[in-house]
Amino acid sequence: MDFDWSTPFPEGVISFLDTDLYKLTMQCAVLKYYPDIAVTYAFTNRTPEKKLSRKAFSWLCKQISKLGNISLSDDELRYLKTHCKYLSPPYLEFLKEFRLKPREQLNPTFHPVGPDTGAEDELGDIHIDIRGKWVDTILYEIPLLALTSEAYFKFMDTDWNYDGQEEKAYHKGVQLLEAGCILSEFGTRRRRDYHTQALVFRGLVKASKDAQKRDLPGKLSGTSNVHLAMRFNLPPVGTVAHEWFMGIAAITNDYVKATEEALRRWIGCFGEGVLGIALTDTFGTPAFLKAFSKPIDYLPDTPNIPLLDDGSRPTRSSRTYAEVYAGVRQDSGDPASFVKMMRDFYESQGIKDKKTIVFSDSLNIEKCIEYKRISEEQGFQPTFGVGTFLTNDFVQLSTGKKSVPLNIVIKLSSAAGNPAIKISDNIGKNTGDSAKVAEVKQLLGYVEKEWAGGDETSRWGKADDAANP
């Protein structure tokens, strides 16, 4: 595909593929198993000191409205059929006709911090309420987060430019590849804007090509942004999200069995050995491992099941989820403790295969190199999903200080009329109804742990920090 790299891409979000891969895979699974379930989502700003002006909010609302104009192009459909063969034909037919309906499904509101004067420069907090069927609203999360970040840096923190972004990403990529890291770009949700992300990924691709020429040990495995992957003619990369586990737990209201059910239905949709990285921390990793150690009970229409000797389909696998899945993703809590926990778990299960750990929690170069050492010492293959550190790493032009990203999230807040929650391995990442969180922690025997790196309010630095070199 030919693109003019000299000018920024159009503002906002203009494609369904301008999202993380796991939103498409989860929509595929939701369409198969939960097509009529009603849900709500909640927006949270973990950096509440960063507010929008009314002018910025108005721009955001216009961009949200434009989401209703998006449809899947023929080129995009061909790309998905070629590079994402795990997406089922019924799902691709659904996506071909799919439209978002922001006027019906979204309610963005602006809440002034002082007297409501109506002035364009008035500051306020924003809320975005999302409601509708799960399959119809699941694609909102990533565009809304990306648009909110874009609004902030278009109107509030404007003391920056694109100069050096590609080069900075190139040098970061080279350092990681020299260190032998396998990395992916995971930065869509909190990027400065699409053009930044495109510059960053182009820098990483250049670093990867140079690394191959130099025979460096590291590897760039791709990007989670499906649109960028299409531009570079690469397959997108990604894992499942917390939302899948949260939604099923809320629907069933059975938090003891929900994780196993989520794993079972994921395999039921895609089969064994496909999209096989498991996210462990939705209700705490110890609770997850109890489900992970169980043998797989197949759903009737699970694809790619090895047949029995008599040609019949088995109802239960001889292997456990832990055996079948290629590895796990670490997204909260202390990485060193997580690696030790996973090594102890696999040894207790008698699993000798070399498993992968994908790290994705607020990474930078130093953390990647450190987590690589820790993982390899324990016999794992580490890989790294690096996000905000790549796609929102800027300097204020006037001061040379760091231009700090927003820490914003959108999480499922209810499904089938029941509250949806996430506990994680870090109390700062608890989301959802606090009473339900406390109830589930008690039910699962969740043990709270302190971690020095768990402060969500300053994940990517503070305003008076020096810029990254």
Side-chain angles (χ1 to χ4, degrees), residues 277-454:
I277 297 294
L279 183 57
T280 69
D281 67 333
T282 308
F283 309 118
T285 295
F288 172 86
L289 295 179
K290 292 178 182 178
F292 208 40
S293 65
K294 294 181 178 180
I296 303 167
D297 284 325
Y298 292 124
L299 290 162
D301 56 353
T302 300
N304 307 321
I305 298 176
L307 299 179
L308 298 174
D309 291 341
D310 62 4
S312 63
R313 289 171 58 89
T315 58
R316 169 173 281 202
S317 174
S318 61
R319 298 192 295 169
T320 65
Y321 293 101
E323 290 176 287
V324 167
Y325 272 77
V328 294
R329 176 157 73 99
Q330 193 272 342
D331 195 53
S332 65
D334 179 8
S337 298
F338 179 86
V339 170
K340 179 65 166 59
M341 186 188 308
M342 291 309 306
R343 173 46 55 213
D344 291 345
F345 169 78
Y346 282 122
E347 288 187 356
S348 73
Q349 299 295 305
I351 296 174
K352 305 299 184 183
D353 298 346
K354 189 170 188 176
K355 296 292 186 176
T356 296
I357 297 181
V358 179
F359 294 91
S360 59
D361 186 22
S362 308
L363 300 176
N364 58 27
I365 292 170
E366 293 74 21
K367 289 177 181 178
C368 290
I369 294 173
E370 174 65 9
Y371 301 165
K372 177 178 182 291
R373 180 188 64 79
I374 293 170
S375 301
E376 291 178 342
E377 286 176 353
Q378 293 289 348
F380 290 107
Q381 174 60 67
T383 70
F384 304 92
V386 187
T388 307
F389 174 68
L390 291 171
T391 61
N392 208 330
D393 185 13
F394 285 79
V395 174
Q396 292 182 341
L397 299 177
S398 61
T399 66
K401 297 287 184 68
K402 184 174 179 61
S403 175
V404 181
L406 282 75
N407 188 350
I408 49 179
V409 296
I410 292 174
K411 294 293 181 186
L412 197 70
S413 55
S414 74
N418 297 320
I421 63 163
K422 178 169 77 82
I423 295 175
S424 84
D425 293 330
N426 171 19
I427 193 170
K429 286 192 168 185
N430 290 179
T431 60
D433 180 80
S434 58
K436 191 68 177 180
V437 168
E439 174 193 328
V440 173
K441 283 183 176 181
Q442 184 175 17
L443 175 69
L444 299 180
Y446 181 89
V447 177
E448 211 75 70
K449 294 181 180 178
E450 294 294 329
W451 177 50

Side-chain angles (χ1 to χ4, degrees), residues 158-219:
T158 60
D159 188 18
W160 59 274
N161 61 32
Y162 297 109
D163 292 352
Q165 279 295 304
E166 184 177 335
E167 293 76 11
K168 183 184 288 188
Y170 171 86
H171 289 298
K172 289 176 180 177
V174 167
Q175 289 181 70
L176 290 167
L177 296 169
E178 286 177 340
C181 293
I182 300 173
L183 73 144
S184 304
E185 184 274 308
F186 271 22
T188 303
R189 64 185 53 224
R190 299 186 189 102
R191 70 193 183 194
R192 194 138 298 202
D193 56 17
Y194 181 93
H195 186 61
T196 300
Q197 189 176 12
L199 290 172
V200 163
F201 193 63
R202 188 165 71 155
L204 293 176
V205 169
K206 286 183 177 179
S208 176
K209 291 178 179 178
D210 286 352
Q212 291 173 13
K213 294 175 183 177
R214 295 169 55 193
D215 201 26
L216 295 180
K219 178 184 176 183

